Every structure is written in C-alpha cells, then in structure tokens.
PDB file of all heavy atoms in Angstrom:
ATOM      1  N   THR Q 253     -11.319 -14.506 198.627  1.00 92.00           N
ATOM      2  CA  THR Q 253     -10.460 -15.540 199.192  1.00 92.00           C
ATOM      3  C   THR Q 253     -10.187 -15.352 200.674  1.00 92.00           C
ATOM      4  O   THR Q 253     -10.371 -16.276 201.483  1.00 92.00           O
ATOM      5  CB  THR Q 253      -9.131 -15.613 198.427  1.00 92.00           C
ATOM      6  OG1 THR Q 253      -9.383 -15.962 197.068  1.00 92.00           O
ATOM      7  CG2 THR Q 253      -8.209 -16.650 199.050  1.00 92.00           C
ATOM      8  N   GLN Q 254      -9.741 -14.197 201.080  1.00 95.00           N
ATOM      9  CA  GLN Q 254      -9.365 -13.979 202.478  1.00 95.00           C
ATOM     10  C   GLN Q 254     -10.575 -14.113 203.410  1.00 95.00           C
ATOM     11  O   GLN Q 254     -10.469 -14.695 204.496  1.00 95.00           O
ATOM     12  CB  GLN Q 254      -8.702 -12.610 202.640  1.00 95.00           C
ATOM     13  CG  GLN Q 254      -7.356 -12.502 201.943  1.00 95.00           C
ATOM     14  CD  GLN Q 254      -6.395 -13.617 202.341  1.00 95.00           C
ATOM     15  OE1 GLN Q 254      -6.212 -13.911 203.529  1.00 95.00           O
ATOM     16  NE2 GLN Q 254      -5.773 -14.246 201.347  1.00 95.00           N
ATOM     17  N   LYS Q 255     -11.701 -13.585 203.002  1.00 96.00           N
ATOM     18  CA  LYS Q 255     -12.910 -13.705 203.822  1.00 96.00           C
ATOM     19  C   LYS Q 255     -13.326 -15.160 203.945  1.00 96.00           C
ATOM     20  O   LYS Q 255     -13.705 -15.640 205.029  1.00 96.00           O
ATOM     21  CB  LYS Q 255     -14.046 -12.887 203.223  1.00 96.00           C
ATOM     22  CG  LYS Q 255     -15.341 -12.920 204.040  1.00 96.00           C
ATOM     23  CD  LYS Q 255     -16.415 -12.056 203.407  1.00 96.00           C
ATOM     24  CE  LYS Q 255     -17.641 -11.944 204.310  1.00 96.00           C
ATOM     25  NZ  LYS Q 255     -18.241 -13.272 204.641  1.00 96.00           N
ATOM     26  N   ARG Q 256     -13.260 -15.888 202.848  1.00 96.00           N
ATOM     27  CA  ARG Q 256     -13.653 -17.283 202.866  1.00 96.00           C
ATOM     28  C   ARG Q 256     -12.696 -18.130 203.716  1.00 96.00           C
ATOM     29  O   ARG Q 256     -13.136 -19.056 204.415  1.00 96.00           O
ATOM     30  CB  ARG Q 256     -13.726 -17.841 201.437  1.00 96.00           C
ATOM     31  CG  ARG Q 256     -14.978 -17.387 200.692  1.00 96.00           C
ATOM     32  CD  ARG Q 256     -14.972 -17.798 199.229  1.00 96.00           C
ATOM     33  NE  ARG Q 256     -16.276 -17.522 198.625  1.00 96.00           N
ATOM     34  CZ  ARG Q 256     -17.260 -18.403 198.521  1.00 96.00           C
ATOM     35  NH1 ARG Q 256     -17.091 -19.636 198.947  1.00 96.00           N
ATOM     36  NH2 ARG Q 256     -18.415 -18.072 197.978  1.00 96.00           N
ATOM     37  N   LEU Q 257     -11.428 -17.853 203.653  1.00 96.00           N
ATOM     38  CA  LEU Q 257     -10.474 -18.581 204.504  1.00 96.00           C
ATOM     39  C   LEU Q 257     -10.842 -18.443 205.977  1.00 96.00           C
ATOM     40  O   LEU Q 257     -10.746 -19.406 206.749  1.00 96.00           O
ATOM     41  CB  LEU Q 257      -9.052 -18.080 204.263  1.00 96.00           C
ATOM     42  CG  LEU Q 257      -8.395 -18.493 202.944  1.00 96.00           C
ATOM     43  CD1 LEU Q 257      -7.056 -17.793 202.777  1.00 96.00           C
ATOM     44  CD2 LEU Q 257      -8.217 -20.012 202.880  1.00 96.00           C
ATOM     45  N   LYS Q 258     -11.288 -17.280 206.348  1.00 97.00           N
ATOM     46  CA  LYS Q 258     -11.700 -17.035 207.733  1.00 97.00           C
ATOM     47  C   LYS Q 258     -13.028 -17.720 208.046  1.00 97.00           C
ATOM     48  O   LYS Q 258     -13.172 -18.386 209.081  1.00 97.00           O
ATOM     49  CB  LYS Q 258     -11.814 -15.531 207.985  1.00 97.00           C
ATOM     50  CG  LYS Q 258     -12.233 -15.162 209.394  1.00 97.00           C
ATOM     51  CD  LYS Q 258     -12.320 -13.654 209.554  1.00 97.00           C
ATOM     52  CE  LYS Q 258     -12.783 -13.280 210.966  1.00 97.00           C
ATOM     53  NZ  LYS Q 258     -12.877 -11.794 211.131  1.00 97.00           N
ATOM     54  N   ASP Q 259     -13.993 -17.577 207.143  1.00 97.00           N
ATOM     55  CA  ASP Q 259     -15.336 -18.123 207.384  1.00 97.00           C
ATOM     56  C   ASP Q 259     -15.355 -19.646 207.395  1.00 97.00           C
ATOM     57  O   ASP Q 259     -16.192 -20.256 208.075  1.00 97.00           O
ATOM     58  CB  ASP Q 259     -16.309 -17.608 206.324  1.00 97.00           C
ATOM     59  CG  ASP Q 259     -16.565 -16.116 206.432  1.00 97.00           C
ATOM     60  OD1 ASP Q 259     -16.222 -15.520 207.477  1.00 97.00           O
ATOM     61  OD2 ASP Q 259     -17.108 -15.544 205.459  1.00 97.00           O
ATOM     62  N   PHE Q 260     -14.450 -20.270 206.636  1.00 98.00           N
ATOM     63  CA  PHE Q 260     -14.455 -21.728 206.510  1.00 98.00           C
ATOM     64  C   PHE Q 260     -13.418 -22.404 207.410  1.00 98.00           C
ATOM     65  O   PHE Q 260     -13.274 -23.636 207.345  1.00 98.00           O
ATOM     66  CB  PHE Q 260     -14.173 -22.133 205.051  1.00 98.00           C
ATOM     67  CG  PHE Q 260     -15.341 -21.952 204.121  1.00 98.00           C
ATOM     68  CD1 PHE Q 260     -15.611 -20.709 203.572  1.00 98.00           C
ATOM     69  CD2 PHE Q 260     -16.166 -23.007 203.789  1.00 98.00           C
ATOM     70  CE1 PHE Q 260     -16.676 -20.525 202.706  1.00 98.00           C
ATOM     71  CE2 PHE Q 260     -17.235 -22.849 202.925  1.00 98.00           C
ATOM     72  CZ  PHE Q 260     -17.500 -21.598 202.377  1.00 98.00           C
ATOM     73  N   ALA Q 261     -12.736 -21.648 208.238  1.00 97.00           N
ATOM     74  CA  ALA Q 261     -11.616 -22.184 209.015  1.00 97.00           C
ATOM     75  C   ALA Q 261     -11.981 -23.429 209.838  1.00 97.00           C
ATOM     76  O   ALA Q 261     -11.163 -24.333 210.011  1.00 97.00           O
ATOM     77  CB  ALA Q 261     -11.051 -21.103 209.926  1.00 97.00           C
ATOM     78  N   LYS Q 262     -13.199 -23.489 210.327  1.00 97.00           N
ATOM     79  CA  LYS Q 262     -13.621 -24.611 211.175  1.00 97.00           C
ATOM     80  C   LYS Q 262     -14.233 -25.755 210.355  1.00 97.00           C
ATOM     81  O   LYS Q 262     -14.762 -26.706 210.935  1.00 97.00           O
ATOM     82  CB  LYS Q 262     -14.625 -24.130 212.219  1.00 97.00           C
ATOM     83  CG  LYS Q 262     -14.047 -23.121 213.206  1.00 97.00           C
ATOM     84  CD  LYS Q 262     -15.093 -22.691 214.216  1.00 97.00           C
ATOM     85  CE  LYS Q 262     -14.508 -21.675 215.208  1.00 97.00           C
ATOM     86  NZ  LYS Q 262     -15.519 -21.228 216.207  1.00 97.00           N
ATOM     87  N   TYR Q 263     -14.127 -25.654 209.034  1.00 98.00           N
ATOM     88  CA  TYR Q 263     -14.751 -26.657 208.168  1.00 98.00           C
ATOM     89  C   TYR Q 263     -13.731 -27.490 207.393  1.00 98.00           C
ATOM     90  O   TYR Q 263     -14.081 -28.153 206.418  1.00 98.00           O
ATOM     91  CB  TYR Q 263     -15.743 -25.980 207.214  1.00 98.00           C
ATOM     92  CG  TYR Q 263     -16.967 -25.473 207.941  1.00 98.00           C
ATOM     93  CD1 TYR Q 263     -16.921 -24.275 208.656  1.00 98.00           C
ATOM     94  CD2 TYR Q 263     -18.153 -26.196 207.951  1.00 98.00           C
ATOM     95  CE1 TYR Q 263     -18.029 -23.811 209.354  1.00 98.00           C
ATOM     96  CE2 TYR Q 263     -19.263 -25.744 208.646  1.00 98.00           C
ATOM     97  CZ  TYR Q 263     -19.203 -24.553 209.347  1.00 98.00           C
ATOM     98  OH  TYR Q 263     -20.299 -24.100 210.049  1.00 98.00           O
ATOM     99  N   GLN Q 264     -12.485 -27.473 207.833  1.00 98.00           N
ATOM    100  CA  GLN Q 264     -11.478 -28.307 207.183  1.00 98.00           C
ATOM    101  C   GLN Q 264     -11.750 -29.782 207.474  1.00 98.00           C
ATOM    102  O   GLN Q 264     -12.058 -30.160 208.610  1.00 98.00           O
ATOM    103  CB  GLN Q 264     -10.078 -27.957 207.664  1.00 98.00           C
ATOM    104  CG  GLN Q 264      -8.983 -28.734 206.940  1.00 98.00           C
ATOM    105  CD  GLN Q 264      -7.610 -28.545 207.558  1.00 98.00           C
ATOM    106  OE1 GLN Q 264      -7.313 -29.115 208.609  1.00 98.00           O
ATOM    107  NE2 GLN Q 264      -6.784 -27.719 206.919  1.00 98.00           N
ATOM    108  N   ILE Q 265     -11.622 -30.607 206.460  1.00 98.00           N
ATOM    109  CA  ILE Q 265     -11.728 -32.056 206.656  1.00 98.00           C
ATOM    110  C   ILE Q 265     -10.341 -32.564 207.042  1.00 98.00           C
ATOM    111  O   ILE Q 265      -9.427 -32.609 206.229  1.00 98.00           O
ATOM    112  CB  ILE Q 265     -12.248 -32.750 205.390  1.00 98.00           C
ATOM    113  CG1 ILE Q 265     -13.687 -32.292 205.112  1.00 98.00           C
ATOM    114  CG2 ILE Q 265     -12.200 -34.274 205.543  1.00 98.00           C
ATOM    115  CD1 ILE Q 265     -14.320 -32.907 203.896  1.00 98.00           C
ATOM    116  N   ASN Q 266     -10.200 -32.888 208.295  1.00 98.00           N
ATOM    117  CA  ASN Q 266      -8.917 -33.320 208.840  1.00 98.00           C
ATOM    118  C   ASN Q 266      -9.106 -34.603 209.645  1.00 98.00           C
ATOM    119  O   ASN Q 266     -10.207 -35.158 209.730  1.00 98.00           O
ATOM    120  CB  ASN Q 266      -8.301 -32.208 209.701  1.00 98.00           C
ATOM    121  CG  ASN Q 266      -9.292 -31.665 210.726  1.00 98.00           C
ATOM    122  OD1 ASN Q 266     -10.101 -32.427 211.282  1.00 98.00           O
ATOM    123  ND2 ASN Q 266      -9.261 -30.366 210.973  1.00 98.00           N
ATOM    124  N   ASP Q 267      -8.015 -35.084 210.241  1.00 98.00           N
ATOM    125  CA  ASP Q 267      -8.070 -36.354 210.968  1.00 98.00           C
ATOM    126  C   ASP Q 267      -9.055 -36.309 212.130  1.00 98.00           C
ATOM    127  O   ASP Q 267      -9.734 -37.305 212.415  1.00 98.00           O
ATOM    128  CB  ASP Q 267      -6.672 -36.726 211.471  1.00 98.00           C
ATOM    129  CG  ASP Q 267      -5.714 -37.050 210.339  1.00 98.00           C
ATOM    130  OD1 ASP Q 267      -6.131 -37.754 209.390  1.00 98.00           O
ATOM    131  OD2 ASP Q 267      -4.562 -36.602 210.383  1.00 98.00           O
ATOM    132  N   GLU Q 268      -9.139 -35.180 212.788  1.00 98.00           N
ATOM    133  CA  GLU Q 268     -10.068 -35.044 213.917  1.00 98.00           C
ATOM    134  C   GLU Q 268     -11.512 -35.172 213.455  1.00 98.00           C
ATOM    135  O   GLU Q 268     -12.330 -35.842 214.105  1.00 98.00           O
ATOM    136  CB  GLU Q 268      -9.852 -33.696 214.607  1.00 98.00           C
ATOM    137  CG  GLU Q 268     -10.752 -33.481 215.810  1.00 98.00           C
ATOM    138  CD  GLU Q 268     -10.525 -32.129 216.473  1.00 98.00           C
ATOM    139  OE1 GLU Q 268      -9.630 -31.380 216.013  1.00 98.00           O
ATOM    140  OE2 GLU Q 268     -11.246 -31.828 217.437  1.00 98.00           O
ATOM    141  N   LEU Q 269     -11.825 -34.551 212.322  1.00 98.00           N
ATOM    142  CA  LEU Q 269     -13.201 -34.587 211.833  1.00 98.00           C
ATOM    143  C   LEU Q 269     -13.572 -35.972 211.297  1.00 98.00           C
ATOM    144  O   LEU Q 269     -14.646 -36.504 211.619  1.00 98.00           O
ATOM    145  CB  LEU Q 269     -13.405 -33.538 210.741  1.00 98.00           C
ATOM    146  CG  LEU Q 269     -14.821 -33.442 210.168  1.00 98.00           C
ATOM    147  CD1 LEU Q 269     -15.836 -33.097 211.263  1.00 98.00           C
ATOM    148  CD2 LEU Q 269     -14.876 -32.394 209.053  1.00 98.00           C
ATOM    149  N   VAL Q 270     -12.704 -36.580 210.488  1.00 98.00           N
ATOM    150  CA  VAL Q 270     -13.062 -37.875 209.891  1.00 98.00           C
ATOM    151  C   VAL Q 270     -13.065 -38.998 210.913  1.00 98.00           C
ATOM    152  O   VAL Q 270     -13.576 -40.091 210.631  1.00 98.00           O
ATOM    153  CB  VAL Q 270     -12.123 -38.238 208.710  1.00 98.00           C
ATOM    154  CG1 VAL Q 270     -12.264 -37.226 207.593  1.00 98.00           C
ATOM    155  CG2 VAL Q 270     -10.674 -38.366 209.168  1.00 98.00           C
ATOM    156  N   ALA Q 271     -12.562 -38.750 212.114  1.00 98.00           N
ATOM    157  CA  ALA Q 271     -12.653 -39.748 213.171  1.00 98.00           C
ATOM    158  C   ALA Q 271     -14.106 -40.036 213.530  1.00 98.00           C
ATOM    159  O   ALA Q 271     -14.422 -41.088 214.108  1.00 98.00           O
ATOM    160  CB  ALA Q 271     -11.891 -39.277 214.410  1.00 98.00           C
ATOM    161  N   HIS Q 272     -15.000 -39.127 213.162  1.00 98.00           N
ATOM    162  CA  HIS Q 272     -16.431 -39.314 213.430  1.00 98.00           C
ATOM    163  C   HIS Q 272     -17.112 -40.129 212.330  1.00 98.00           C
ATOM    164  O   HIS Q 272     -18.249 -40.577 212.514  1.00 98.00           O
ATOM    165  CB  HIS Q 272     -17.122 -37.955 213.553  1.00 98.00           C
ATOM    166  CG  HIS Q 272     -16.638 -37.137 214.709  1.00 98.00           C
ATOM    167  ND1 HIS Q 272     -17.096 -37.325 215.994  1.00 98.00           N
ATOM    168  CD2 HIS Q 272     -15.709 -36.153 214.775  1.00 98.00           C
ATOM    169  CE1 HIS Q 272     -16.492 -36.466 216.811  1.00 98.00           C
ATOM    170  NE2 HIS Q 272     -15.641 -35.745 216.091  1.00 98.00           N
ATOM    171  N   ALA Q 273     -16.440 -40.302 211.203  1.00 98.00           N
ATOM    172  CA  ALA Q 273     -16.995 -41.106 210.112  1.00 98.00           C
ATOM    173  C   ALA Q 273     -16.736 -42.582 210.384  1.00 98.00           C
ATOM    174  O   ALA Q 273     -16.073 -42.956 211.362  1.00 98.00           O
ATOM    175  CB  ALA Q 273     -16.363 -40.690 208.786  1.00 98.00           C
ATOM    176  N   LYS Q 274     -17.262 -43.451 209.511  1.00 98.00           N
ATOM    177  CA  LYS Q 274     -16.976 -44.871 209.656  1.00 98.00           C
ATOM    178  C   LYS Q 274     -15.490 -45.122 209.410  1.00 98.00           C
ATOM    179  O   LYS Q 274     -14.864 -44.394 208.627  1.00 98.00           O
ATOM    180  CB  LYS Q 274     -17.836 -45.676 208.690  1.00 98.00           C
ATOM    181  CG  LYS Q 274     -19.322 -45.651 209.051  1.00 98.00           C
ATOM    182  CD  LYS Q 274     -20.145 -46.503 208.110  1.00 98.00           C
ATOM    183  CE  LYS Q 274     -21.617 -46.469 208.507  1.00 98.00           C
ATOM    184  NZ  LYS Q 274     -22.471 -47.254 207.575  1.00 98.00           N
ATOM    185  N   PRO Q 275     -14.907 -46.119 210.062  1.00 98.00           N
ATOM    186  CA  PRO Q 275     -13.456 -46.356 209.918  1.00 98.00           C
ATOM    187  C   PRO Q 275     -13.003 -46.538 208.474  1.00 98.00           C
ATOM    188  O   PRO Q 275     -11.891 -46.152 208.117  1.00 98.00           O
ATOM    189  CB  PRO Q 275     -13.229 -47.632 210.749  1.00 98.00           C
ATOM    190  CG  PRO Q 275     -14.339 -47.615 211.762  1.00 98.00           C
ATOM    191  CD  PRO Q 275     -15.519 -47.038 211.035  1.00 98.00           C
ATOM    192  N   ASP Q 276     -13.855 -47.128 207.646  1.00 98.00           N
ATOM    193  CA  ASP Q 276     -13.477 -47.371 206.259  1.00 98.00           C
ATOM    194  C   ASP Q 276     -14.088 -46.332 205.314  1.00 98.00           C
ATOM    195  O   ASP Q 276     -14.300 -46.599 204.125  1.00 98.00           O
ATOM    196  CB  ASP Q 276     -13.905 -48.764 205.818  1.00 98.00           C
ATOM    197  CG  ASP Q 276     -15.423 -48.950 205.841  1.00 98.00           C
ATOM    198  OD1 ASP Q 276     -16.118 -48.117 206.461  1.00 98.00           O
ATOM    199  OD2 ASP Q 276     -15.918 -49.923 205.234  1.00 98.00           O
ATOM    200  N   TYR Q 277     -14.343 -45.134 205.819  1.00 98.00           N
ATOM    201  CA  TYR Q 277     -14.938 -44.073 205.002  1.00 98.00           C
ATOM    202  C   TYR Q 277     -14.112 -43.829 203.738  1.00 98.00           C
ATOM    203  O   TYR Q 277     -12.899 -44.068 203.705  1.00 98.00           O
ATOM    204  CB  TYR Q 277     -15.037 -42.768 205.807  1.00 98.00           C
ATOM    205  CG  TYR Q 277     -13.728 -42.002 205.888  1.00 98.00           C
ATOM    206  CD1 TYR Q 277     -13.449 -40.967 204.993  1.00 98.00           C
ATOM    207  CD2 TYR Q 277     -12.748 -42.335 206.825  1.00 98.00           C
ATOM    208  CE1 TYR Q 277     -12.248 -40.277 205.041  1.00 98.00           C
ATOM    209  CE2 TYR Q 277     -11.547 -41.655 206.887  1.00 98.00           C
ATOM    210  CZ  TYR Q 277     -11.298 -40.626 205.986  1.00 98.00           C
ATOM    211  OH  TYR Q 277     -10.098 -39.949 206.025  1.00 98.00           O
ATOM    212  N   MET Q 278     -14.768 -43.341 202.706  1.00 99.00           N
ATOM    213  CA  MET Q 278     -14.101 -42.938 201.478  1.00 99.00           C
ATOM    214  C   MET Q 278     -13.987 -41.421 201.460  1.00 99.00           C
ATOM    215  O   MET Q 278     -14.986 -40.727 201.680  1.00 99.00           O
ATOM    216  CB  MET Q 278     -14.892 -43.397 200.257  1.00 99.00           C
ATOM    217  CG  MET Q 278     -15.039 -44.893 200.119  1.00 99.00           C
ATOM    218  SD  MET Q 278     -16.114 -45.344 198.712  1.00 99.00           S
ATOM    219  CE  MET Q 278     -15.161 -44.702 197.327  1.00 99.00           C
ATOM    220  N   PHE Q 279     -12.805 -40.901 201.192  1.00 99.00           N
ATOM    221  CA  PHE Q 279     -12.666 -39.456 201.009  1.00 99.00           C
ATOM    222  C   PHE Q 279     -12.732 -39.139 199.522  1.00 99.00           C
ATOM    223  O   PHE Q 279     -12.038 -39.753 198.700  1.00 99.00           O
ATOM    224  CB  PHE Q 279     -11.356 -38.916 201.575  1.00 99.00           C
ATOM    225  CG  PHE Q 279     -11.179 -37.449 201.270  1.00 99.00           C
ATOM    226  CD1 PHE Q 279     -11.936 -36.503 201.938  1.00 99.00           C
ATOM    227  CD2 PHE Q 279     -10.317 -37.023 200.264  1.00 99.00           C
ATOM    228  CE1 PHE Q 279     -11.828 -35.147 201.638  1.00 99.00           C
ATOM    229  CE2 PHE Q 279     -10.196 -35.678 199.950  1.00 99.00           C
ATOM    230  CZ  PHE Q 279     -10.958 -34.736 200.642  1.00 99.00           C
ATOM    231  N   LEU Q 280     -13.564 -38.150 199.182  1.00 99.00           N
ATOM    232  CA  LEU Q 280     -13.752 -37.737 197.796  1.00 99.00           C
ATOM    233  C   LEU Q 280     -13.544 -36.238 197.653  1.00 99.00           C
ATOM    234  O   LEU Q 280     -13.846 -35.464 198.573  1.00 99.00           O
ATOM    235  CB  LEU Q 280     -15.162 -38.100 197.320  1.00 99.00           C
ATOM    236  CG  LEU Q 280     -15.550 -39.586 197.378  1.00 99.00           C
ATOM    237  CD1 LEU Q 280     -17.026 -39.766 197.036  1.00 99.00           C
ATOM    238  CD2 LEU Q 280     -14.686 -40.414 196.437  1.00 99.00           C
ATOM    239  N   HIS Q 281     -13.040 -35.843 196.514  1.00 98.00           N
ATOM    240  CA  HIS Q 281     -12.821 -34.419 196.206  1.00 98.00           C
ATOM    241  C   HIS Q 281     -12.873 -34.277 194.691  1.00 98.00           C
ATOM    242  O   HIS Q 281     -12.264 -35.059 193.964  1.00 98.00           O
ATOM    243  CB  HIS Q 281     -11.468 -33.966 196.731  1.00 98.00           C
ATOM    244  CG  HIS Q 281     -11.267 -32.477 196.772  1.00 98.00           C
ATOM    245  ND1 HIS Q 281     -11.380 -31.665 195.661  1.00 98.00           N
ATOM    246  CD2 HIS Q 281     -10.959 -31.652 197.810  1.00 98.00           C
ATOM    247  CE1 HIS Q 281     -11.145 -30.407 196.015  1.00 98.00           C
ATOM    248  NE2 HIS Q 281     -10.897 -30.371 197.313  1.00 98.00           N
ATOM    249  N   CYS Q 282     -13.610 -33.275 194.198  1.00 98.00           N
ATOM    250  CA  CYS Q 282     -13.764 -33.118 192.746  1.00 98.00           C
ATOM    251  C   CYS Q 282     -12.499 -32.603 192.065  1.00 98.00           C
ATOM    252  O   CYS Q 282     -12.375 -32.710 190.846  1.00 98.00           O
ATOM    253  CB  CYS Q 282     -14.944 -32.201 192.442  1.00 98.00           C
ATOM    254  SG  CYS Q 282     -14.846 -30.583 193.231  1.00 98.00           S
ATOM    255  N   LEU Q 283     -11.568 -32.035 192.821  1.00 97.00           N
ATOM    256  CA  LEU Q 283     -10.299 -31.504 192.318  1.00 97.00           C
ATOM    257  C   LEU Q 283     -10.515 -30.311 191.388  1.00 97.00           C
ATOM    258  O   LEU Q 283     -11.569 -30.220 190.751  1.00 97.00           O
ATOM    259  CB  LEU Q 283      -9.485 -32.597 191.623  1.00 97.00           C
ATOM    260  CG  LEU Q 283      -9.094 -33.795 192.486  1.00 97.00           C
ATOM    261  CD1 LEU Q 283      -8.299 -34.814 191.656  1.00 97.00           C
ATOM    262  CD2 LEU Q 283      -8.309 -33.390 193.717  1.00 97.00           C
ATOM    263  N   PRO Q 284      -9.594 -29.377 191.318  1.00 96.00           N
ATOM    264  CA  PRO Q 284      -8.321 -29.349 192.023  1.00 96.00           C
ATOM    265  C   PRO Q 284      -8.511 -29.088 193.519  1.00 96.00           C
ATOM    266  O   PRO Q 284      -9.526 -28.509 193.923  1.00 96.00           O
ATOM    267  CB  PRO Q 284      -7.567 -28.193 191.360  1.00 96.00           C
ATOM    268  CG  PRO Q 284      -8.654 -27.275 190.912  1.00 96.00           C
ATOM    269  CD  PRO Q 284      -9.775 -28.168 190.465  1.00 96.00           C
ATOM    270  N   ALA Q 285      -7.534 -29.516 194.313  1.00 97.00           N
ATOM    271  CA  ALA Q 285      -7.613 -29.383 195.770  1.00 97.00           C
ATOM    272  C   ALA Q 285      -6.532 -28.441 196.283  1.00 97.00           C
ATOM    273  O   ALA Q 285      -5.461 -28.319 195.691  1.00 97.00           O
ATOM    274  CB  ALA Q 285      -7.446 -30.749 196.416  1.00 97.00           C
ATOM    275  N   HIS Q 286      -6.841 -27.787 197.388  1.00 97.00           N
ATOM    276  CA  HIS Q 286      -5.871 -26.947 198.094  1.00 97.00           C
ATOM    277  C   HIS Q 286      -5.546 -27.628 199.420  1.00 97.00           C
ATOM    278  O   HIS Q 286      -6.281 -27.479 200.404  1.00 97.00           O
ATOM    279  CB  HIS Q 286      -6.438 -25.544 198.335  1.00 97.00           C
ATOM    280  CG  HIS Q 286      -6.708 -24.779 197.076  1.00 97.00           C
ATOM    281  ND1 HIS Q 286      -7.573 -23.718 197.021  1.00 97.00           N
ATOM    282  CD2 HIS Q 286      -6.221 -24.933 195.814  1.00 97.00           C
ATOM    283  CE1 HIS Q 286      -7.610 -23.234 195.792  1.00 97.00           C
ATOM    284  NE2 HIS Q 286      -6.791 -23.969 195.040  1.00 97.00           N
ATOM    285  N   ARG Q 287      -4.492 -28.389 199.414  1.00 98.00           N
ATOM    286  CA  ARG Q 287      -4.105 -29.098 200.631  1.00 98.00           C
ATOM    287  C   ARG Q 287      -3.820 -28.119 201.765  1.00 98.00           C
ATOM    288  O   ARG Q 287      -3.231 -27.067 201.555  1.00 98.00           O
ATOM    289  CB  ARG Q 287      -2.889 -29.992 200.367  1.00 98.00           C
ATOM    290  CG  ARG Q 287      -3.226 -31.226 199.521  1.00 98.00           C
ATOM    291  CD  ARG Q 287      -1.993 -31.911 198.994  1.00 98.00           C
ATOM    292  NE  ARG Q 287      -2.282 -33.194 198.349  1.00 98.00           N
ATOM    293  CZ  ARG Q 287      -2.790 -33.338 197.129  1.00 98.00           C
ATOM    294  NH1 ARG Q 287      -3.047 -32.246 196.410  1.00 98.00           N
ATOM    295  NH2 ARG Q 287      -3.029 -34.529 196.636  1.00 98.00           N
ATOM    296  N   GLU Q 288      -4.274 -28.516 202.944  1.00 98.00           N
ATOM    297  CA  GLU Q 288      -4.163 -27.728 204.173  1.00 98.00           C
ATOM    298  C   GLU Q 288      -5.101 -26.518 204.180  1.00 98.00           C
ATOM    299  O   GLU Q 288      -5.011 -25.679 205.073  1.00 98.00           O
ATOM    300  CB  GLU Q 288      -2.718 -27.307 204.454  1.00 98.00           C
ATOM    301  CG  GLU Q 288      -1.772 -28.482 204.654  1.00 98.00           C
ATOM    302  CD  GLU Q 288      -2.240 -29.464 205.722  1.00 98.00           C
ATOM    303  OE1 GLU Q 288      -2.795 -29.007 206.741  1.00 98.00           O
ATOM    304  OE2 GLU Q 288      -2.071 -30.684 205.526  1.00 98.00           O
ATOM    305  N   GLU Q 289      -6.005 -26.431 203.217  1.00 97.00           N
ATOM    306  CA  GLU Q 289      -7.129 -25.490 203.316  1.00 97.00           C
ATOM    307  C   GLU Q 289      -8.382 -26.312 203.594  1.00 97.00           C
ATOM    308  O   GLU Q 289      -8.666 -26.620 204.740  1.00 97.00           O
ATOM    309  CB  GLU Q 289      -7.266 -24.643 202.045  1.00 97.00           C
ATOM    310  CG  GLU Q 289      -6.209 -23.554 201.944  1.00 97.00           C
ATOM    311  CD  GLU Q 289      -6.473 -22.588 200.804  1.00 97.00           C
ATOM    312  OE1 GLU Q 289      -7.616 -22.543 200.300  1.00 97.00           O
ATOM    313  OE2 GLU Q 289      -5.538 -21.870 200.416  1.00 97.00           O
ATOM    314  N   GLU Q 290      -9.116 -26.714 202.546  1.00 98.00           N
ATOM    315  CA  GLU Q 290     -10.359 -27.452 202.784  1.00 98.00           C
ATOM    316  C   GLU Q 290     -10.130 -28.883 203.256  1.00 98.00           C
ATOM    317  O   GLU Q 290     -11.024 -29.510 203.831  1.00 98.00           O
ATOM    318  CB  GLU Q 290     -11.234 -27.463 201.518  1.00 98.00           C
ATOM    319  CG  GLU Q 290     -10.751 -28.360 200.404  1.00 98.00           C
ATOM    320  CD  GLU Q 290      -9.791 -27.695 199.443  1.00 98.00           C
ATOM    321  OE1 GLU Q 290      -9.355 -26.556 199.744  1.00 98.00           O
ATOM    322  OE2 GLU Q 290      -9.474 -28.270 198.398  1.00 98.00           O
ATOM    323  N   VAL Q 291      -8.917 -29.414 203.036  1.00 98.00           N
ATOM    324  CA  VAL Q 291      -8.624 -30.782 203.458  1.00 98.00           C
ATOM    325  C   VAL Q 291      -7.174 -30.895 203.908  1.00 98.00           C
ATOM    326  O   VAL Q 291      -6.270 -30.298 203.305  1.00 98.00           O
ATOM    327  CB  VAL Q 291      -8.908 -31.782 202.314  1.00 98.00           C
ATOM    328  CG1 VAL Q 291      -8.093 -31.444 201.065  1.00 98.00           C
ATOM    329  CG2 VAL Q 291      -8.673 -33.225 202.756  1.00 98.00           C
ATOM    330  N   ALA Q 292      -6.967 -31.655 204.967  1.00 98.00           N
ATOM    331  CA  ALA Q 292      -5.612 -31.903 205.457  1.00 98.00           C
ATOM    332  C   ALA Q 292      -4.893 -32.860 204.507  1.00 98.00           C
ATOM    333  O   ALA Q 292      -5.509 -33.769 203.938  1.00 98.00           O
ATOM    334  CB  ALA Q 292      -5.660 -32.491 206.859  1.00 98.00           C
TER     335      ALA Q 292
END
C-alpha cells in the first residue's frame, strides 16, 4: 500500500486531469473506490 501510494501519486483522476477529456466525458469506476486516492 505505502509504496503504491507513492508510485501512483501522479495518476489521480482529478479535475485538472479530466479537463483534457471531452467536456461531457463519462467517469467510470468498478468500485469499491478510495476517494482522494485514485480519484478526487
């Protein structure tokens, strides 16, 4: 867990990243989700 948190830190799907997608993009997640880790 701790190593992965460090290695994936720049891979969070957040508002800055999805700004590069189409405006009407769909966000999908297979769940369960860890908010503020892999996704804002």
